Short mmCIF file of all heavy atoms in Angstrom, two decimals:
data_model
loop_
_atom_site.label_atom_id
_atom_site.label_comp_id
_atom_site.label_asym_id
_atom_site.label_seq_id
_atom_site.Cartn_x
_atom_site.Cartn_y
_atom_site.Cartn_z
N PHE A 6 38.29 -17.42 -169.07
CA PHE A 6 38.27 -18.46 -168.06
C PHE A 6 36.84 -18.85 -167.73
O PHE A 6 36.59 -19.52 -166.75
CB PHE A 6 38.96 -17.96 -166.77
CG PHE A 6 40.46 -17.91 -166.89
CD1 PHE A 6 41.08 -17.11 -167.82
CD2 PHE A 6 41.23 -18.68 -166.05
CE1 PHE A 6 42.45 -17.05 -167.90
CE2 PHE A 6 42.62 -18.63 -166.13
CZ PHE A 6 43.23 -17.81 -167.06
N GLY A 7 35.86 -18.43 -168.52
CA GLY A 7 34.49 -18.84 -168.30
C GLY A 7 34.29 -20.25 -168.81
O GLY A 7 35.15 -20.84 -169.47
N MET A 8 33.12 -20.80 -168.53
CA MET A 8 32.84 -22.18 -168.88
C MET A 8 32.73 -22.34 -170.38
O MET A 8 32.14 -21.51 -171.08
CB MET A 8 31.54 -22.61 -168.20
CG MET A 8 31.21 -24.06 -168.38
SD MET A 8 29.78 -24.50 -167.39
CE MET A 8 28.52 -23.45 -168.08
N VAL A 9 33.27 -23.43 -170.92
CA VAL A 9 33.17 -23.75 -172.34
C VAL A 9 31.94 -24.59 -172.56
O VAL A 9 31.73 -25.60 -171.90
CB VAL A 9 34.42 -24.53 -172.80
CG1 VAL A 9 34.27 -24.92 -174.25
CG2 VAL A 9 35.67 -23.69 -172.59
N GLY A 10 31.08 -24.18 -173.48
CA GLY A 10 29.90 -24.97 -173.79
C GLY A 10 28.76 -24.73 -172.82
O GLY A 10 28.81 -23.87 -171.97
N SER A 11 27.71 -25.54 -172.96
CA SER A 11 26.52 -25.36 -172.13
C SER A 11 26.20 -26.64 -171.40
O SER A 11 26.72 -27.70 -171.69
CB SER A 11 25.33 -24.95 -173.00
OG SER A 11 25.05 -25.95 -173.95
N ILE A 12 25.29 -26.52 -170.43
CA ILE A 12 24.90 -27.68 -169.62
C ILE A 12 23.40 -27.82 -169.71
O ILE A 12 22.66 -27.02 -169.16
CB ILE A 12 25.28 -27.48 -168.16
CG1 ILE A 12 26.78 -27.15 -168.04
CG2 ILE A 12 24.96 -28.70 -167.34
CD1 ILE A 12 27.18 -26.80 -166.66
N GLY A 13 22.95 -28.82 -170.45
CA GLY A 13 21.52 -29.11 -170.46
C GLY A 13 20.69 -27.97 -171.04
O GLY A 13 21.17 -27.04 -171.67
N ALA A 14 19.39 -28.04 -170.80
CA ALA A 14 18.46 -27.04 -171.29
C ALA A 14 18.43 -25.85 -170.35
O ALA A 14 18.68 -25.96 -169.17
CB ALA A 14 17.06 -27.64 -171.41
N SER A 15 18.12 -24.69 -170.90
CA SER A 15 18.06 -23.49 -170.05
C SER A 15 16.85 -23.55 -169.13
O SER A 15 15.85 -24.19 -169.42
CB SER A 15 17.98 -22.24 -170.93
OG SER A 15 16.83 -22.27 -171.72
N THR A 16 16.96 -22.85 -167.99
CA THR A 16 15.90 -22.85 -167.00
C THR A 16 14.94 -21.70 -167.26
O THR A 16 15.36 -20.58 -167.46
CB THR A 16 16.51 -22.69 -165.60
OG1 THR A 16 17.47 -23.72 -165.41
CG2 THR A 16 15.45 -22.78 -164.53
N ARG A 17 13.68 -21.98 -167.24
CA ARG A 17 12.67 -20.93 -167.41
C ARG A 17 12.38 -20.34 -166.03
O ARG A 17 11.88 -21.02 -165.15
CB ARG A 17 11.39 -21.50 -168.01
CG ARG A 17 11.57 -22.01 -169.43
CD ARG A 17 10.31 -22.70 -169.87
NE ARG A 17 9.17 -21.80 -169.89
CZ ARG A 17 8.78 -21.11 -170.95
NH1 ARG A 17 9.44 -21.22 -172.08
NH2 ARG A 17 7.74 -20.32 -170.90
N CYS A 18 12.70 -19.07 -165.84
CA CYS A 18 12.52 -18.43 -164.55
C CYS A 18 12.01 -17.01 -164.75
O CYS A 18 12.26 -16.40 -165.78
CB CYS A 18 13.84 -18.37 -163.78
SG CYS A 18 14.56 -19.96 -163.40
N ARG A 19 11.31 -16.53 -163.74
CA ARG A 19 10.89 -15.14 -163.75
C ARG A 19 12.03 -14.27 -163.26
O ARG A 19 12.82 -14.68 -162.43
CB ARG A 19 9.67 -14.97 -162.84
CG ARG A 19 8.44 -15.67 -163.35
CD ARG A 19 7.35 -15.69 -162.32
NE ARG A 19 7.16 -14.38 -161.72
CZ ARG A 19 6.71 -14.19 -160.49
NH1 ARG A 19 6.43 -15.22 -159.74
NH2 ARG A 19 6.54 -12.99 -160.03
N ARG A 20 12.10 -13.06 -163.78
CA ARG A 20 13.13 -12.13 -163.38
C ARG A 20 12.49 -10.90 -162.76
O ARG A 20 11.49 -10.40 -163.24
CB ARG A 20 13.99 -11.70 -164.57
CG ARG A 20 14.93 -12.80 -165.06
CD ARG A 20 15.64 -12.38 -166.32
NE ARG A 20 16.76 -13.25 -166.63
CZ ARG A 20 16.67 -14.43 -167.20
NH1 ARG A 20 15.49 -14.90 -167.52
NH2 ARG A 20 17.74 -15.15 -167.45
N SER A 21 13.08 -10.43 -161.69
CA SER A 21 12.64 -9.19 -161.06
C SER A 21 13.80 -8.61 -160.30
O SER A 21 14.90 -9.15 -160.32
CB SER A 21 11.45 -9.46 -160.13
OG SER A 21 11.83 -10.32 -159.08
N ARG A 22 13.59 -7.50 -159.61
CA ARG A 22 14.64 -6.88 -158.83
C ARG A 22 14.17 -6.70 -157.40
O ARG A 22 13.00 -6.50 -157.15
CB ARG A 22 15.04 -5.51 -159.41
CG ARG A 22 15.75 -5.62 -160.75
CD ARG A 22 16.16 -4.25 -161.26
NE ARG A 22 16.85 -4.36 -162.54
CZ ARG A 22 18.15 -4.52 -162.67
NH1 ARG A 22 18.91 -4.59 -161.59
NH2 ARG A 22 18.70 -4.60 -163.84
N GLY A 23 15.13 -6.76 -156.47
CA GLY A 23 14.81 -6.55 -155.07
C GLY A 23 14.89 -7.83 -154.28
O GLY A 23 15.12 -8.91 -154.81
N ASP A 24 14.69 -7.72 -152.97
CA ASP A 24 14.84 -8.86 -152.08
C ASP A 24 13.54 -9.60 -151.82
O ASP A 24 13.54 -10.67 -151.23
CB ASP A 24 15.40 -8.40 -150.72
CG ASP A 24 16.86 -8.01 -150.84
OD1 ASP A 24 17.60 -8.67 -151.55
OD2 ASP A 24 17.22 -7.02 -150.19
N ALA A 25 12.41 -9.06 -152.20
CA ALA A 25 11.12 -9.68 -151.87
C ALA A 25 10.95 -10.97 -152.66
O ALA A 25 11.31 -11.08 -153.82
CB ALA A 25 9.98 -8.72 -152.19
N ILE A 26 10.38 -11.96 -152.04
CA ILE A 26 10.06 -13.24 -152.68
C ILE A 26 8.58 -13.24 -153.02
O ILE A 26 7.74 -12.98 -152.18
CB ILE A 26 10.38 -14.41 -151.74
CG1 ILE A 26 11.84 -14.36 -151.31
CG2 ILE A 26 10.05 -15.72 -152.39
CD1 ILE A 26 12.82 -14.45 -152.44
N ALA A 27 8.29 -13.54 -154.27
CA ALA A 27 6.90 -13.51 -154.72
C ALA A 27 6.07 -14.54 -153.96
O ALA A 27 6.56 -15.59 -153.56
CB ALA A 27 6.83 -13.80 -156.23
N ALA A 28 4.80 -14.24 -153.81
CA ALA A 28 3.92 -15.10 -153.03
C ALA A 28 3.77 -16.47 -153.65
O ALA A 28 3.54 -17.46 -152.96
CB ALA A 28 2.54 -14.44 -152.90
N ASP A 29 3.91 -16.54 -154.98
CA ASP A 29 3.75 -17.84 -155.64
C ASP A 29 5.09 -18.52 -155.87
O ASP A 29 5.20 -19.40 -156.71
CB ASP A 29 3.02 -17.67 -156.97
CG ASP A 29 3.79 -16.78 -157.93
OD1 ASP A 29 4.75 -16.12 -157.49
OD2 ASP A 29 3.40 -16.75 -159.12
#
Side-chain angles (χ1 to χ4, degrees):
F6 286 61
M8 185 174 62
V9 177
S11 61
I12 306 173
S15 61
T16 304
R17 295 173 62 92
C18 298
R19 293 169 48 208
R20 287 173 166 80
S21 63
R22 291 182 180 270
D24 289 320
I26 304 299
D29 61 348

